[in-house]
């Protein structure tokens, strides 16, 4: 992979802008949207104005034309104050928009990209099913040809932004249930035959609505298929590496936010006549948190730089390592932050209890930690030429 480099002037400006947005506009809403389990519409609209939702789309289509480095900058800064908001914004910016920008026809891009970039349209990417989570290729949702297009039938679950989405980007089997021939279809959620099912009430990420989509002979025109029939599988796997890296960046931000709070608290909290920061056990916890965060940040940036300079094709193992290390590191960091704050850490007077709940999903969503281990081990064992040191 390419070597890590320092941020350039434009990237530093982006980081500083997103950091201000996160601290001044996102953080004050974080507790409320978590308690109320509501979509952060105020932050969403502002993210559209700042160009964050369309950061990966070409300028000609209403975006900023930036790369994965910029997306991980956005992910880390937002997640440091509110993972729900980071996940919601990056779901559109890193999953929905790039698939349409890279694989959509000129007519499809003209129809939907401007709205997705400015936030007037909310999109969701529908992949997971009741019997197809880690084993995504076992999905049963089908797309059957009709005289005028396609008819889709099936159920998608655990879909980020589904309860509020205007557009659903749905993967479906084009050659019968369980086939390896997939298509990616754009479906307006107000169309007959598509229903927004349950909204899930979650332990964490409570400000990022997650729900079901039920397709019951939902008919769409032929022009709503992205790419050719059967290209959906390639489109799906082409975006998995960047998704893992962005989620790892969110883990870095989440852990950094926990470290910041724990460090400040340790300097103010006094026991036995002095700040608890004076105790070596507390110092040890802070030191390990810092070290693991720094290591993960470097790995994330290494992957992002490589993706932007060399493409994402060779990043399967590194991106899986990013996601695995990031998820486990964030869970450790948030657990330690709660421990350092003690009883206060277990209440919602400090954000670390929310951070701890949010961190758990990092070990599950976007491919579980066990799946990342499987991907890494399979790659190492299959290709003896992969360097292991």
């Amino acid at each position: 992979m390419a070597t890590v480099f320092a941020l350039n002037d434009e990237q530093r400006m982006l980081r500083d802008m997103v950091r201000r947005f996160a601290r001044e506009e996102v953080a004050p809403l974080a507790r409320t949207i978590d308690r109320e389990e509501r979509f952060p519409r105020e932050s969403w609209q502002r993210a559209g104005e700042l160009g964050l939702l369309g950061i990966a789309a070409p300028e000609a289509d209403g975006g900023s034309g930036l790369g994965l480095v910029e997306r991980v900058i956005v992910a880390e800064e937002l997640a440091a104050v509110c993972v729900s908001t980071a996940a919601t914004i990056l779901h559109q910016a890193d999953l929905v928009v790039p698939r349409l920008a890279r694989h959509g026809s000129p007519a499809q891009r003209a129809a939907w990209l401007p709205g997705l970039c400015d936030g007037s349209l909310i999109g969701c990417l529908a992949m997971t099913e009741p019997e197809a989570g880690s084993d995504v290729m076992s999905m049963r949702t089908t797309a059957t040809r009709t005289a005028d297009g396609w008819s889709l039938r099936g159920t998608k679950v655990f879909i980020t932004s589904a309860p509020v989405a205007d557009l659903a980007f749905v993967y479906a089997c084009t050659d019968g249930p369980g086939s390896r021939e997939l298509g990616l279809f754009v479906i307006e959620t107000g169309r007959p035959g598509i229903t927004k099912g349950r909204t899930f009430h979650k332990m964490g990420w409570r400000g990022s609505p997650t729900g079901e989509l039920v397709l019951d002979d939902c008919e769409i025109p032929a022009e709503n298929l992205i790419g050719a029939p059967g290209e959906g599988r390639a489109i799906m796997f082409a975006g998995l590496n960047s998704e893992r890296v962005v989620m790892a960046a969110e883990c870095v931000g989440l852990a950094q936010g926990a470290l910041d709070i724990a460090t400040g608290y340790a300097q103010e909290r006094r026991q036995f006549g002095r700040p608890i920061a004076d105790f070596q056990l507390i110092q040890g916890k802070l030191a390990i948190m810092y070290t693991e965060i720094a290591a993960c940040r470097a790995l994330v940036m290494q992957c992002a730089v490589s993706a932007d300079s060399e493409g994402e094709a060779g990043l399967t193992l590194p991106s899986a390592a990013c996601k695995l290390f990031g998820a486990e590191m964030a869970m450790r960091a948030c657990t330690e932050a709660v421990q350092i704050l003690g009883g206060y850490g277990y209440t919602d007077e400090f954000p670390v209890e929310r951070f701890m709940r949010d961190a758990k999903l990092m070990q599950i969503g976007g491919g579980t930690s066990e799946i990342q281990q499987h991907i890494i081990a399979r790659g190492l064992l299959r290709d003896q030429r992969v360097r292991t040191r």
Side-chain angles (χ1 to χ4, degrees), residues 12-87:
R12 284 195 295 271
M13 289 176 61
L14 173 66
R15 180 199 62 194
D16 293 345
M17 182 266 287
V18 178
R19 186 172 294 176
R20 286 194 301 272
F21 168 52
R23 291 178 177 176
E24 297 173 7
E25 302 183 53
V26 175
L29 291 172
R31 187 182 187 187
T32 298
I33 66 170
D34 179 75
R35 281 183 166 184
E36 298 178 358
E37 296 187 82
R38 73 169 175 85
F39 181 75
R41 196 163 297 277
E42 305 94 324
S43 300
W44 178 268
Q45 293 171 344
R46 184 66 174 140
E49 294 171 2
L50 294 173
L52 303 183
L53 296 173
I55 194 169
E59 293 183 41
D61 292 319
S64 304
L66 300 176
L68 186 55
V69 168
E70 287 77 13
R71 300 205 293 280
V72 302
I73 290 171
V74 173
E76 179 178 343
E77 295 300 329
L78 292 177
V81 300
C82 181
V83 174
S84 289
T85 302

Side-chain angles (χ1 to χ4, degrees), residues 234-377:
I235 294 172
M236 178 174 64
F237 284 109
L240 292 182
N241 289 342
S242 68
E243 179 187 9
R244 293 175 187 134
V245 175
V246 167
M247 287 197 70
E250 292 172 351
C251 291
V252 171
L254 176 58
Q256 184 66 58
L259 174 61
D260 291 344
I261 293 168
T263 301
Y265 182 87
Q267 292 172 310
E268 296 176 1
R269 174 68 167 168
R270 299 181 67 85
Q271 290 288 276
F272 306 102
R274 54 179 171 158
I276 64 172
D278 287 353
F279 300 125
Q280 288 184 343
L281 283 174
I282 299 298
Q283 292 174 0
K285 291 179 185 294
L286 296 175
I288 292 172
M289 289 166 69
Y290 168 82
T291 302
E292 291 194 338
I293 292 167
C296 192
R297 182 181 287 117
L299 181 56
V300 166
M301 189 57 69
Q302 180 85 340
C303 285
V305 170
S306 294
D308 287 343
S309 61
E310 303 169 10
E312 297 180 23
L315 285 183
T316 299
L317 266 66
S319 67
C322 253
K323 173 65 168 57
L324 173 62
F325 183 47
E328 300 303 311
M329 176 276 298
M331 193 71 236
R332 286 192 294 269
C334 293
T335 301
E336 290 288 41
V338 170
Q339 190 71 17
I340 290 170
L341 270 68
Y344 286 108
Y346 201 65
T347 73
D348 67 356
E349 292 189 29
F350 288 86
V352 291
E353 69 86 23
R354 168 166 51 87
F355 288 2
M356 186 176 178
R357 289 186 283 109
D358 289 340
K360 185 59 194 174
L361 189 53
M362 294 301 189
Q363 298 174 308
I364 300 171
T368 65
S369 289
E370 291 77 12
I371 285 295
Q372 306 310 322
Q373 292 176 41
H374 172 67
I375 291 169
I376 296 166

